[in-house]
Amino acid sequence: MALHFDNNNLFGPISSKIGNLENVVSLNLSHNLLIGPLPHTLSCLTKLTVLSLDSNQINGSIPLEIGNMRKLRHLNLHNNCLNGKIPSTLGKLTKLDFLNLGVNFLVGKIPATLGNLTKLDFLNLGVNFLVGKIPATLGNLTKLDFLNLSVNNLVDKIPPYVGHLTNLSYLDIHSNQINGSIPMEIRNLTNLVFLDLGVNNLSGTIPPVFGPLAALCYLDIHSNQINGSINSTMRDLQSMQKLDLSNNYISGILPHELTQLTQLQYLNLSLNKLSGEILPNIENLYSLSVLDLSHNNLSGSIPIKLGNCFLLGQLFLSYNRLSGTIPPEVSYPYKLTIVDLSHNLFSGNIPFELGYIESLRHLDLSFNTLTGQIPGTLVFQCQINLSYNYLEGPIPDGFWRYNTLKSVMGNKNLTNDHILGIPHCSTRIKKFSNLIKIIILALVILGFLLLGVGFVFLSRRKVIGNNQNECKATRNGNLFSIWNYDGNIAFEDIITATEDFDIRYCIGTGGYGSVYKATLPSGKVIALKKLHCLESQEPAFDKSFRNEAKVLSEVRHRNIVKLYGFCLHNRCMFLVYEYIERGSLFYAISNDVEAKELNWKKRVNIIKGIANALSYLHHDCIPTIVHRDLTTSNILLNSEFEAFVADFGIARPLNPDSSNLTTLAGTYGYIAPELAYTMVVNEKCDVYSFGVVVLETIMGRHPGELISSLASSSARHIMLKDVLDPRLSPHINQTIAQNVVLVVTLALACLRSNPKSRPTMKHVSQEILVRKPPLLKPFYEISMWELMNQEIYLVDKN
């Protein structure tokens, strides 16, 4: 008898009476909403050959008695919340040919008794918390076709007896802590189609083991410590479709043998130390859709025959030493969606043919030496970055429809007559640095004259008292003076430290202005945000720049970036900040290496710091200050991973006697929904943005889709464990689990559609500081729906 109730809406625990179904031979309850532990009475089903309980929310441990079900051939417990160790009694199920325990919370070592299951052709233990070595007994499973041990904490080397598994077509060991070199015995796996060894600690060179693997379609060794050159035996992988060797220490040239992989669709060799030229016969890779050679030391020009790769959709060549002109043939693959040639040495004009690629969504040619005018064909719906080149002439009509000044900053000979009414803008810091010196010299001479006059005047005055306060001269209106707190920052020091704001000192660009890093004569390292010529003549940017200077000069908090000073002359405008070493939170969670260093404890502390800063702005400043553009890009991290709120360009105080109407401002994806129809700004707008930032910090990506899902009935099925950043170790102790649950719960409260039902930031800050509510159920059983409907977090009723 077979009982198949899969893909229904069954919920609740599995009844212990299930053991009474003695004659059932096949039981399938997969893809339901079952919870609770596996009943021990399952072992009474001694005639069972198929047991499928996958994709439920079953928790607890796998009962030891499961070893009594000796007729089982198919056991699937995949994608549940099972914990505890894998019972060694599974080794008694010698008739098993399918065992899937993946995506659970199983701990401990892989039991050696699994080596007794010699009839297995499918074994999945991936995405658990398993530790220790890969047991030698797995070498007995010579009938295995599928083996997945990925996303665990397995250590030591890949055992050489993996070469005994000659029937394997799928081998996945990625995201563990495997070390040592790639064993030569892998060459015996001649049926292998899929091999993933990425995100481990593998070292040594790429051995000549892949030549015999003629069926291999997928090879991933990214994010290891592999060195040496790319082995020429790669040419034998004629079935290869995806090859990822990125983020290693591979050096040498690109071997021409790679162009023999004519079935290749994805090639990623980025973040290595490759040198030489791009493959001259690259047109042989006619199936290629993604080519990523970024972050290497490649030189030479772009091969013209790259245009023959007609299926190419994404091209990444940034951060190399490529030179010459950009050939028009780059535009021939009409499926291109991303082209990134930034941070190279390309010269000449921008090919107008690039504007004919209708599918293009992102074009980055920044930080090159391109000259000539911006082709009018580039006016299309696409993100464009042409900054920091030597472009000149008019900016085409319609360019500003989809682009901002950030797209063209650093090109000092562009004109903008048609859009902003700005005359030819070729003013450069270097052109008026001599004028600065003359003015300063004149001011010094004038100062001495005034000093002499003052001395005569003072000598005739009678001193009234020694306790009279000095009257401080107002410096803001003086030409090229810097307002600052301690009087130790001089304009001349800024000019010298940045060599007239040379591009070599530029460390990034913001919503407006470029950011420079400089070391003052005192040894103090500072950051400078400078408004460029074209931007300074745009009223909106000028207003934002002055607004940021005003706001930051009036606030003091350990989690708000510190303003040391500013120069607000109409020909030279910059702000002087403390230098925050690690850059933005957005970068930290977008970069796989940085994200792994940003563990759960650090992320919770970052959230705590942001909450404290917003609480200060909302409740300790008079009048209340609303940031209005809180995003992960505007949160900076120092060397200790402390958070600093930055970018106050559109911040504004709330006037209690005003309606506080505003235009819609901020960053899409972080703006409170009510602003679209009320246009009234208040502190609850920041609270909403904070909720988005918290979820993004916990998830490692923007939560847009999740926020939409939470508003639908599907939210009942979204588990907290499934939204956590998968790049972090899923091992979470009780204290961290409580903190993660707390900040996610508060974030969901901050995202409520009714602004009045959102908590205040003071309340949020206090809750994070003092509360660690006990978990009423295991961490991995908690759903987002439960957290969204928590009532223990009181909100203000005003």
Side-chain angles (χ1 to χ4, degrees):
M1 181 172 66
L3 292 177
H4 290 180
F5 297 108
D6 52 308
N7 290 290
N8 284 285
N9 289 315
L10 301 178
F11 60 91
I14 301 174
S15 172
S16 60
K17 294 181 180 180
I18 199 169
N20 297 331
L21 304 175
E22 297 177 356
N23 294 319
V24 173
V25 296
S26 178
L27 178 61
N28 187 350
L29 302 176
S30 63
H31 294 276
N32 281 292
L33 302 172
L34 299 174
I35 61 173
L38 292 172
H40 293 267
T41 53
L42 271 176
S43 61
C44 298
L45 306 181
T46 54
K47 295 181 181 180
L48 210 59
T49 60
V50 175
L51 178 58
S52 293
L53 302 174
D54 59 290
S55 300
N56 282 285
Q57 300 174 35
I58 299 169
N59 58 23
S61 59
I62 302 173
L64 295 174
E65 292 83 357
I66 201 167
N68 298 331
M69 305 169 74
R70 302 295 181 86
K71 291 188 178 182
L72 268 184
R73 299 185 60 177
H74 182 108
L75 177 58
N76 190 352
L77 303 177
H78 175 262
N79 193 19
N80 278 286
C81 303
L82 294 167
N83 50 48
K85 296 182 178 181
I86 299 174
S88 59
T89 54
L90 281 177
K92 297 179 181 181
L93 307 180
T94 55
K95 292 187 178 182
L96 272 182
D97 56 33
F98 183 100
L99 177 58
N100 192 347
L101 305 179
V103 194
N104 278 287
F105 303 99
L106 299 170
V107 300
K109 297 182 178 181
I110 299 173
T113 55
L114 293 188
N116 300 332
L117 309 180
T118 55
K119 292 186 178 181
L120 274 182
D121 61 26
F122 184 102
L123 176 59
N124 182 8
L125 304 178
V127 196
N128 279 289
F129 299 95
L130 302 174
V131 299
K133 302 179 181 180
I134 301 173
T137 54
L138 292 191
N140 300 333
L141 309 181
T142 55
K143 291 187 178 181
L144 271 182
D145 173 75
F146 182 104
L147 176 59
N148 185 355
L149 305 176
S150 66
V151 196
N152 281 289
N153 289 308
L154 301 174
V155 298
D156 206 42
K157 299 175 175 61
I158 300 174
Y161 42 81
V162 72
H164 299 169
L165 310 179
T166 53
N167 282 332
L168 273 181
S169 66
Y170 185 105
L171 176 58
D172 190 352
I173 316 179
H174 86 271
S175 298
N176 280 284
Q177 300 178 40
I178 303 295
N179 56 35
S181 57
I182 300 173
M184 293 294 293
E185 287 77 7
I186 281 185
R187 68 191 308 164
N188 299 331
L189 309 182
T190 54
N191 293 311
L192 211 56
V193 174
F194 181 103
L195 177 60
D196 192 344
L197 306 176
V199 197
N200 278 289
N201 296 314
L202 295 170
S203 57
T205 59
I206 301 175
V209 297
F210 299 111
L213 309 185
L216 195 62
C217 294
Y218 182 108
L219 176 59
D220 191 338
I221 318 178
H222 88 279
S223 299
N224 279 284
Q225 300 174 37
I226 302 296
N227 55 44
S229 58
I230 299 175
N231 198 289
S232 61
T233 59
M234 290 283 184
R235 65 175 178 269
D236 298 322
L237 302 176
Q238 293 297 306
S239 300
M240 184 62 62
Q241 296 178 17
K242 177 175 179 178
L243 177 60
D244 191 344
L245 307 179
S246 63
N247 198 16
N248 280 287
Y249 299 95
I250 300 171
S251 57
I253 63 172
L254 293 171
H256 66 87
E257 289 86 357
L258 285 178
T259 60
Q260 298 179 29
L261 308 182
T262 56
Q263 302 301 312
L264 203 59
Q265 299 175 17
Y266 179 99
L267 177 60
N268 190 347
L269 305 177
S270 64
L271 291 162
N272 278 292
K273 298 182 177 181
L274 295 167
S275 57
E277 298 186 349
I278 298 175
L279 300 165
N281 296 324
I282 198 167
E283 75 275 10
N284 293 338
L285 302 179
Y286 48 79
S287 299
L288 204 60
S289 63
V290 176
L291 175 61
D292 191 346
L293 303 177
S294 63
H295 294 268
N296 279 288
N297 294 312
L298 298 174
S299 57
S301 58
I302 297 178
I304 293 177
K305 293 183 178 179
L306 180 66
N308 293 338
C309 298
F310 296 116
L311 300 179
L312 193 62
Q314 299 179 20
L315 176 62
F316 302 94
L317 300 177
S318 61
Y319 289 92
N320 279 289
R321 296 166 54 208
L322 299 170
S323 58
T325 59
I326 300 173
E329 288 79 5
V330 170
S331 64
Y332 288 2
Y334 290 109
K335 293 191 175 184
L336 275 172
T337 59
I338 300 175
V339 176
D340 189 349
L341 308 181
S342 64
H343 295 269
N344 277 288
L345 303 171
F346 290 118
S347 57
N349 295 335
I350 300 173
F352 68 88
E353 290 86 351
L354 285 174
Y356 296 153
I357 310 175
E358 294 182 0
S359 58
L360 198 60
R361 293 293 174 263
H362 180 86
L363 174 64
D364 194 341
L365 305 179
S366 63
F367 291 91
N368 281 286
T369 58
L370 297 170
T371 55
Q373 297 186 1
I374 299 175
T377 56
L378 288 186
V379 181
F380 47 74
Q381 190 167 356
C382 169
Q383 290 183 343
I384 306 174
N385 191 350
L386 307 177
S387 60
Y388 297 98
N389 282 283
Y390 296 95
L391 301 173
E392 59 187 9
I395 296 174
D397 291 336
F399 183 85
W400 302 112
R401 183 178 180 185
Y402 302 116
N403 297 284
T404 66
L405 287 172
K406 183 178 177 181
S407 303
V408 291
M409 64 173 51
N411 294 279
K412 299 176 181 177
N413 290 313
L414 288 173
T415 59
N416 197 21
D417 301 328
H418 300 288
I419 306 303
L420 299 176
I422 296 175
H424 184 68
C425 185
S426 59
T427 306
R428 306 184 185 186
I429 291 290
K430 290 185 178 180
K431 284 189 174 182
F432 59 76
S433 60
N434 290 333
L435 175 61
I436 296 169
K437 294 175 182 177
I438 294 172
I439 293 172
I440 291 174
L441 180 60
L443 290 174
V444 170
I445 295 172
L446 181 60
F448 277 114
L449 291 174
L450 292 175
L451 183 64
V453 173
F455 179 77
V456 173
F457 176 76
L458 289 174
S459 65
R460 296 183 179 181
R461 287 191 59 188
K462 181 178 180 179
V463 178
I464 298 175
N466 293 328
N467 295 327
Q468 187 175 13
N469 293 329
E470 289 186 5
C471 179
K472 297 182 179 179
T474 301
R475 306 177 64 203
N476 291 6
N478 293 344
L479 184 62
F480 302 127
S481 65
I482 298 180
W483 184 93
N484 64 94
Y485 304 138
D486 54 17
N488 294 325
I489 300 176
F491 180 85
E492 194 67 21
D493 291 336
I494 299 294
I495 296 298
T496 302
T498 60
E499 297 184 37
D500 287 352
F501 295 98
D502 191 277
I503 194 172
R504 290 177 298 147
Y505 296 90
C506 183
I507 58 175
T509 56
Y512 57 91
S514 295
V515 182
Y516 298 80
K517 177 183 177 182
T519 303
L520 298 177
S522 63
K524 189 180 190 66
V525 180
I526 58 172
L528 299 113
K529 182 191 286 188
K530 183 179 184 300
L531 204 61
H532 290 286
C533 174
L534 191 62
E535 297 171 312
S536 63
Q537 298 182 57
E538 166 58 32
F541 286 141
D542 179 83
K543 180 180 178 181
S544 293
F545 205 79
R546 295 177 184 273
N547 186 64
E548 182 161 11
K550 181 179 186 300
V551 172
L552 285 179
S553 65
E554 295 172 351
V555 300
R556 296 284 192 284
H557 191 273
R558 62 172 298 171
N559 294 112
I560 294 177
V561 68
K562 187 180 297 182
L563 181 72
Y564 290 138
F566 53 78
C567 177
L568 295 182
H569 191 275
N570 59 5
R571 286 191 294 169
C572 186
M573 301 180 68
F574 58 83
L575 308 178
V576 185
Y577 303 97
E578 63 177 319
Y579 176 65
I580 311 294
E581 299 90 335
R582 288 186 172 270
S584 72
L585 174 59
F586 174 80
Y587 170 79
I589 59 179
S590 300
N591 181 285
D592 286 346
V593 177
E594 294 275 341
K596 289 177 183 177
E597 192 173 357
L598 210 58
N599 60 32
W600 295 119
K601 183 177 180 180
K602 291 173 182 174
R603 296 193 192 203
V604 170
N605 285 336
I606 287 169
I607 292 166
K608 187 184 300 183
I610 301 169
N612 290 340
L614 290 177
S615 177
Y616 165 80
L617 293 171
H618 292 181
H619 303 282
D620 298 321
C621 292
I622 301 175
T624 292
I625 295 175
V626 182
H627 187 280
R628 294 211 298 161
D629 195 20
L630 189 74
T631 70
T632 51
S633 296
N634 292 336
I635 306 297
L636 304 180
L637 304 178
N638 69 3
S639 59
E640 303 299 322
F641 294 97
E642 291 182 292
F644 295 81
V645 178
D647 206 337
F648 283 75
I650 61 172
R652 62 177 290 179
L654 293 185
N655 187 345
D657 299 322
S658 170
S659 62
N660 291 306
L661 286 173
T662 182
T663 57
L664 190 63
T667 302
Y668 179 77
Y670 300 86
I671 302 173
E674 66 271 11
L675 276 177
Y677 54 87
T678 66
M679 305 304 286
V680 177
V681 64
N682 57 46
E683 63 269 30
K684 293 301 180 74
C685 301
D686 277 354
V687 174
Y688 182 91
S689 301
F690 172 78
V692 179
V693 168
V694 171
L695 289 186
E696 187 172 352
T697 304
I698 293 297
M699 296 171 62
R701 62 188 186 280
H702 191 277
E705 293 183 6
L706 174 65
I707 294 173
S708 301
S709 300
L710 293 176
S712 66
S713 59
S714 63
R716 294 181 181 273
H717 311 306
I718 301 174
M719 303 302 294
L720 172 60
K721 68 181 179 67
D722 294 330
V723 305
L724 300 181
D725 192 337
R727 295 168 296 184
L728 289 192
S729 169
H731 290 292
I732 302 180
N733 63 35
Q734 184 71 5
T735 301
I736 294 298
Q738 290 173 332
N739 280 322
V740 170
V741 168
L742 174 60
V743 298
V744 173
T745 304
L746 288 169
L748 294 174
C750 292
L751 293 172
R752 290 169 180 162
S753 57
N754 183 356
K756 291 185 178 181
S757 67
R758 297 171 197 156
T760 64
M761 285 312 305
K762 184 174 184 178
H763 176 79
V764 170
S765 178
Q766 290 172 344
E767 288 287 296
I768 296 176
L769 183 65
V770 301
R771 286 187 64 91
K772 289 184 177 61
L775 302 184
L776 302 180
K777 60 195 306 187
F779 179 74
Y780 298 108
E781 296 180 20
I782 298 172
S783 71
M784 297 295 284
W785 180 265
E786 293 172 292
L787 300 185
M788 193 165 56
N789 290 280
Q790 284 275 10
E791 296 296 338
I792 62 172
Y793 303 108
L794 301 175
V795 298
D796 64 326
K797 302 300 182 182
N798 296 328

